Amino acid sequence: MTSSVSKLNKIFLAIGFFFLYVPMIVLIVYSFNGSERVNVWAGFSFKWYGELFRDEAIMSAVWVSVKLAFASASAAVVMGTLASLVLTRAGKFKGKTVFGGMVTAPLVMPEVITGLSLLLLFVGLANSIGWPEQRGFITIWIAHVTFCMAYVTVVVSSRLTEMDRSLEEAAMDLGATPLKTFLLITLPIISPALISGWLLAFTLSLDDLVIASFVSGPSSTTLPMIVFSSVRLGLSPKINALATIMILTVLIAAVISYWLVARNEKRQRKLSEISH
């Protein structure tokens, strides 16, 4: 019975991997296709990589998206960490439940509703105080920080909840201030969660299409918007090349982040053994 269940699990796992990774492999292979038609193989070629880097619209959108994702992820980590500290360290206070619900609301709210509400907010601000004069990079950044912060808060809060608070208490008993305790004890311990939250926020910002479509302007077009517009007009082999570069970049980043997290966990275990 156990053997049959194990075989069934392996079959389901193989099917899952097939549907998940085979389309990516096909995309990567066809990014080296010399034909202008994405579904007809015409020989191995780097032609479309050259065409991709010569496309000023795509390159400009890539630069805007990377800057936006970096700024959004960094701000989301700072604000998400502060929100996590309030939820896990501030104890009970009036409105804590409401605050927690408002922080995590973007997790369950449809992106269309989030984008529309932010659009109405910016339009209202422009009519009342004259800012923003036009929607662009700043408005997209605010929108991305708003929903990325929720994901970071959940990740960091779970790490703070599981953390052994006796380490912080021991540091303060030895005369460390709360700020010094946070910087030297708490921050290194939760650093894997901060890295994970930053990478998650970076990916979400880089991948967002719906919310950016609502709050962007003609001066700031993100990469997902360019890709979506290109696909609607007809799939170009340049998109295959772009997707391949993104897949390889994400793969390298995932390997590096896994190594950093593993190293920090080893340090944490050593610190925990020393304290006991």
Side-chain angles (χ1 to χ4, degrees), residues 159 185-197 260-261 264-265 268:
R159 187 68 186 92
I185 304 297
T186 309
L187 198 59
I189 292 176
I190 67 172
S191 58
L194 298 179
I195 294 171
S196 300
L260 291 173
V261 170
N264 286 329
E265 287 180 350
Q268 181 183 341

Side-chain angles (χ1 to χ4, degrees), residues 17-262:
F17 278 125
F18 177 84
F19 281 101
L20 184 63
Y21 290 109
V22 168
M24 294 184 186
I25 295 173
V26 172
L27 183 147
I28 292 173
V29 170
Y30 273 88
S31 70
F32 299 101
N33 183 16
S35 173
E36 294 186 0
R37 299 178 63 183
V38 295
N39 58 347
V40 176
W41 182 259
F44 186 87
S45 174
F46 287 98
K47 170 185 176 181
W48 298 111
Y49 286 89
E51 293 289 335
L52 173 66
F53 287 109
R54 285 191 291 269
D55 193 317
E56 295 183 1
I58 292 180
M59 290 296 101
S60 176
V62 168
W63 178 236
V64 169
S65 293
V66 170
K67 288 192 300 180
L68 181 64
F70 184 87
S72 301
S74 301
V77 166
V78 173
M79 297 181 67
T81 302
L82 293 175
S84 300
L85 289 170
V86 171
L87 292 172
T88 60
R89 295 290 191 267
K92 294 183 178 180
F93 59 89
K94 187 177 181 179
K96 181 178 180 179
T97 303
V98 176
F99 175 74
M102 292 178 65
V103 168
T104 57
L107 291 172
V108 295
M109 190 175 297
E111 290 186 343
V112 173
I113 301 301
T114 302
L116 181 59
S117 61
L118 287 167
L119 173 61
L120 295 176
L121 171 65
F122 293 136
V123 171
L125 288 173
N127 292 334
S128 58
I129 63 175
W131 182 91
E133 295 182 1
Q134 61 179 3
R135 296 185 297 277
F137 185 90
I138 296 298
T139 55
I140 303 175
W141 175 74
I142 294 173
H144 283 190
V145 172
T146 300
F147 77 87
C148 288
M149 173 186 167
Y151 291 88
V152 175
T153 301
V154 171
V155 174
V156 178
S157 293
S158 63
R159 187 68 186 92
L160 285 170
T161 302
E162 297 173 356
M163 177 183 166
D164 185 3
R165 297 195 63 178
S166 63
L167 297 174
E168 296 174 318
E169 294 170 355
M172 287 187 283
D173 288 341
L174 293 173
T177 62
L179 178 60
K180 191 172 184 180
T181 300
F182 174 75
L183 294 176
L184 298 181
I185 304 297
T186 309
L187 198 59
I189 292 176
I190 67 172
S191 58
L194 298 179
I195 294 171
S196 300
W198 191 91
L199 290 172
L200 178 60
F202 184 90
T203 304
L204 290 170
S205 176
L206 195 66
D207 184 59
D208 174 63
L209 170 65
V210 178
I211 295 177
S213 299
F214 279 95
V215 299
S216 65
S219 60
S220 295
T221 302
T222 63
L223 182 60
M225 296 171 65
I226 287 287
V227 172
F228 182 70
S229 300
S230 175
V231 170
R232 292 183 65 183
L233 296 175
L235 190 60
S236 169
K238 288 187 292 186
I239 303 302
N240 289 347
L242 175 63
T244 300
I245 293 173
M246 293 179 68
I247 290 172
L248 294 178
T249 302
V250 170
L251 179 61
I252 294 171
V255 172
I256 294 174
S257 64
Y258 175 80
W259 176 76
L260 291 173
V261 170

